[in-house]
Amino acid sequence: MSETLIKVDNVSKIYQRGGETLTVLDGLNLEVPKQDFLALMGPSGSGKSTLLNLMGGLDTPTSGGIGINGVQLDQMNSKQLSHWRASNVGFIFQFYNLLPVLTADKNVELPLLLTNLSKSQRKDHVLTAMKAVGIDDRADHKPSELSGGQQQRVAIARALVSDPDILVCDEPTGDLDRNTATEILELLKILNEDHGKTIIMVTHDPVAAESAKRILHLDKGQLTD
């Protein structure tokens, strides 16, 4: 296995709800090597999405450390995390999160509006990302004019457009039929194997999980074999 990209070191995540203390992650340790394709499984409430959000820099741990490629996310403030995410992580969700008033290419372009790229450079990046996922022929279509699978391809192109090292996927096939889900999973495997992307995917679907190189299970805030 290649060198470690992500190191989760004794991480706990605790929430206070009213007078109740809820421990979602409890002293969890995990190493993810570069170019891994990791599936995280477990029952609802086991901490899968919480762990995914921590590794994607969307949240910070209550205690413990998260290091990614030599950078300690747990030591960053919200502004620093925002800048780090924009360059290093692409997010793919179950329900696509596309803006209905924008065409596919404009949805893909959104992350680049935070960069210093010129309009022509942004256009080139968008076209490259859309071609990579086979959706460039739908660039001028709005989400309502696309199938679920096509919308997810647009979402994946948006995740790819800044050329991040890491893709975090939260139930990326959960809203798709089996045939379309298989197409999306094959696309993720290509991005992992041919384009060197490190992929971390939360899923309830054992068939989807089989597309990954590794499967880890969470239960009560701990990883189990």
Side-chain angles (χ1 to χ4, degrees), residues 6-225:
I6 302 171
K7 183 176 177 62
V8 180
D9 185 16
N10 197 31
V11 160
S12 294
K13 185 64 180 181
I14 301 171
Y15 294 98
Q16 299 291 336
R17 292 183 178 173
E20 182 183 6
T21 298
L22 181 63
T23 301
V24 180
L25 298 176
D26 187 12
L28 187 143
N29 294 286
L30 172 64
E31 291 190 6
V32 181
K34 288 185 177 180
Q35 298 185 27
D36 196 7
F37 187 168
L38 172 63
L40 295 172
M41 301 191 73
S44 296
S46 61
K48 302 183 304 298
S49 292
T50 298
L51 178 57
L52 194 73
N53 290 340
L54 291 173
M55 289 190 286
L58 290 173
D59 199 359
T60 54
T62 304
S63 63
I66 298 180
I68 299 186
N69 211 17
V71 176
Q72 285 298 128
L73 302 193
D74 53 286
Q75 296 177 10
M76 292 183 175
N77 60 36
S78 59
K79 185 176 181 179
Q80 290 170 327
L81 276 173
S82 179
H83 283 293
W84 178 85
R85 286 195 307 267
S87 301
N88 294 277
V89 186
F91 296 91
I92 303 168
F93 303 101
Q94 178 176 352
F95 298 114
Y96 326 130
N97 292 346
L98 303 178
L99 293 181
V101 297
L102 298 181
T103 55
D105 58 346
K106 293 301 182 185
N107 268 285
V108 173
E109 185 185 17
L110 284 173
L112 299 181
L113 298 179
L114 300 174
T115 70
N116 294 322
L117 294 175
S118 66
K119 184 176 180 180
S120 62
Q121 288 173 320
R122 294 199 304 269
K123 185 176 180 179
D124 288 343
H125 280 65
V126 168
L127 182 58
T128 298
M130 296 189 77
K131 281 185 175 179
V133 302
I135 199 69
D136 51 303
D137 60 337
R138 296 289 188 269
D140 59 350
H141 289 59
K142 291 184 177 179
S144 61
E145 301 169 323
L146 302 172
S147 69
Q150 289 171 333
Q151 289 185 63
Q152 190 61 297
R153 285 176 182 268
V154 172
I156 294 173
R158 181 184 57 196
L160 288 173
V161 74
S162 59
D163 196 25
D165 291 328
I166 302 166
L167 297 178
V168 296
C169 312
D170 198 350
E171 299 283 0
T173 60
D175 199 42
L176 303 174
D177 63 75
R178 177 56 64 196
N179 288 339
T180 305
T182 299
E183 292 178 2
I184 294 300
L185 291 166
E186 285 299 320
L187 175 57
L188 291 177
K189 288 171 69 175
I190 289 170
L191 293 172
N192 171 246
E193 295 169 3
D194 297 347
H195 297 271
K197 302 301 179 185
T198 300
I199 300 177
I200 306 163
M201 175 177 70
V202 161
T203 181
H204 282 99
D205 182 2
V207 176
E210 289 297 330
S211 295
K213 292 176 178 176
R214 290 196 297 154
I215 303 172
L216 294 177
H217 295 262
L218 275 87
D219 188 31
K220 298 178 182 178
Q222 289 281 354
L223 287 170
T224 62
D225 292 333

